[in-house]
Amino acid sequence: MGQSTQRSRFLDRAAGRLWVVEGRLDLPDVINFSDLKPFWADYRPEIQRYLADSHYLPDHIELVEHPKGYIATRPLARLSVQDRLIYETLAFEAADAINSMLSKSVFNHRSRRQSVHSVEDWKRMRKKARDFLTRDKNLLMARTDIVSFYEHIDTGVLAMDLTAAGVSDEVVGQLQSFLEGFERQCHTWGLPQGSAASGILANAYLLPVDNFIQQFDTQFLRYSDDIYIFDSNEERLRSILLQVNRAFRTRRLNMSAAKTTIFTRNAAERYLDDMQKDLIMYDLGLGKRSALEDLRHLFHSAVNETPANERDIKFSLPPLGRKNDDFAFPWAIDNLKSWHHLSPRLLRYLESLPGKRKDLQVTLEGILERVPTIDYPFLERNLFETATRCGLLSETIRANAWMVLRDRNRSSYPREFAARYIGRLGTPNDGQLLKMEYEGESHIDVRRALLVAMYEADYMPTGLLKSLQNSSTMLKWTAKYLHRQPEIPFPKF
């Protein structure tokens, strides 16, 4: 297969991720890129021309502060569609060489599925860890990971690692040019977080560490930077961790002190034990009456631990929602702001309870009125998405949506979803006002959202659509899509 044919295959795979998995990532698109899918055959040659540029630099990147907890955040890179397709195509091309060198102990970014990393892969790693402990009753387990892993990857060293792995000089050069452009544009460093491409490249960066651990002739497992090491001797495990930390430092990485520990055997089994949850899901599938009570008990125990057991909370909410069970409703309503990093999961649960719509509306209105949501952009975006999806007609939500949309000092991301709310659930006069905002808006992603909002508000000047279809910007695809008079989808989850 020729190089151009191979690259076309990788490009199509990158595009397929937009249609298939984008909505389930941390940065869902306001309309699931539905304006690009019908015109991919026409857009594809444009991306191929950029891929032929050996010195391509990112066109536009926006950093979105994604919460990890109440205070801590990590900077997710929101790439333009063009940049995302180019970056992932190059990474998928590099992956062919990287994958052949990865140990079977590595569980992430190995698959050729559209979703190259998943919760299922993480679960498979933990199941393998339980299997190790079951087969050898003398084993102990150490666990560690890396502080701000992606941010501390040295792209110059990464380029040498990719070359050593057998990635072609052309692909290495293009990736290095892209990553250097990313660092200059965002005033940050390392790999863009939020893209599968970065996970693939990060595996190459940890190849020397994998090989180093293997030299100790001990079993280990890794999912991204989450590492488990097994041995029957505690002192030997401690020694291995110390030496692995030195190996990290040669890569300009640091072991997380807070997440590094050597478990006793019983503690390791408790840490890995998913048997109770597996049984609950099995019994729910069989329709056993006791299963729902067991699920409620698990959730109750999780929120009453100190600190609350986040993993069990995240596990419990989706099946409770599928059962339309409001057991967790009071806690979810009361903790939406303080647990804003889990707001997508909390809100999807709340959306699953149609009988609680009024309570949900009052809660959303209260947060928008009383909380400085400019400091909670992730929560703010999610609130507008839920209000739109649930059809919550509210003057309070509408007024706040206008305030957010008009604030150009805000991140563009919540502004797009505020526009979508106004367009779908605003007043008859909002269409004209949306057009005024469109005419004064410079950010292309917000302009795109405003086009969609005008369309949903039934105020779309035909002349504007016609002129945009002949433009040189990405808005031409949105205009062509809207010209078909589609039913606009909501972001998937």
Side-chain angles (χ1 to χ4, degrees), residues 28-191:
D29 182 66
V30 71
I31 60 170
N32 294 329
F33 296 112
S34 297
D35 51 345
L36 281 178
K37 187 176 182 179
F39 309 105
W40 173 237
D42 298 321
Y43 181 40
R44 194 171 184 266
E46 185 178 328
I47 299 298
Q48 287 175 313
R49 287 194 294 272
Y50 286 117
L51 278 167
D53 181 357
S54 59
H55 300 292
Y56 179 84
L57 296 174
D59 172 59
H60 172 72
I61 297 173
E62 177 185 3
L63 288 184
V64 176
E65 294 297 332
H66 187 84
K68 297 171 65 176
Y70 183 64
I71 297 175
T73 65
R74 60 189 176 106
L76 294 187
R78 192 176 180 217
L79 308 178
S80 70
V81 173
Q82 174 180 304
D83 291 341
R84 172 176 168 163
L85 290 172
I86 289 169
Y87 183 41
E88 292 198 356
T89 299
L90 294 172
F92 288 148
E93 193 166 351
D96 269 11
I98 297 168
N99 285 346
S100 64
M101 301 187 69
L102 290 176
S103 161
K104 291 181 180 179
S105 299
V106 179
F107 283 76
N108 65 303
H109 298 89
R110 296 293 303 270
S111 171
R112 291 181 177 273
R113 301 190 305 270
Q114 289 290 0
S115 178
V116 295
H117 63 101
S118 69
V119 172
E120 293 306 314
D121 292 331
W122 181 77
K123 287 180 178 178
R124 285 196 307 110
M125 180 186 77
R126 291 171 65 85
K127 181 180 182 305
K128 188 71 172 178
R130 292 197 299 272
D131 291 344
F132 285 161
L133 294 172
T134 299
R135 287 199 301 267
D136 187 343
K137 300 298 184 183
N138 295 315
L139 282 183
L140 304 174
M141 186 182 92
R143 182 225 170 180
T144 190
D145 74 2
I146 299 166
V147 176
S148 302
F149 176 37
Y150 282 15
E151 296 173 69
H152 288 93
I153 289 177
D154 185 310
T155 56
V157 174
L158 174 63
M160 293 188 289
D161 293 338
L162 293 172
T163 299
V167 180
S168 72
D169 291 342
E170 178 187 3
V171 173
V172 172
Q174 287 178 291
L175 281 168
Q176 190 166 17
S177 176
F178 185 98
L179 293 171
E180 288 173 353
F182 164 72
E183 290 183 331
R184 287 195 298 270
Q185 187 178 136
C186 295
H187 305 291
T188 186
W189 55 92
L191 300 180

Side-chain angles (χ1 to χ4, degrees), residues 347-381:
L347 287 165
R348 295 301 85 80
Y349 167 70
L350 295 172
E351 287 177 27
S352 71
L353 305 171
K356 299 287 188 177
R357 284 287 189 269
K358 187 60 182 177
D359 294 317
L360 174 59
Q361 179 173 322
V362 170
T363 298
L364 301 194
E365 290 173 343
I367 291 174
L368 289 169
E369 286 283 271
R370 295 190 292 272
V371 175
T373 54
I374 192 170
D375 295 325
Y376 296 82
F378 181 68
L379 175 61
E380 187 173 70
R381 184 207 73 82

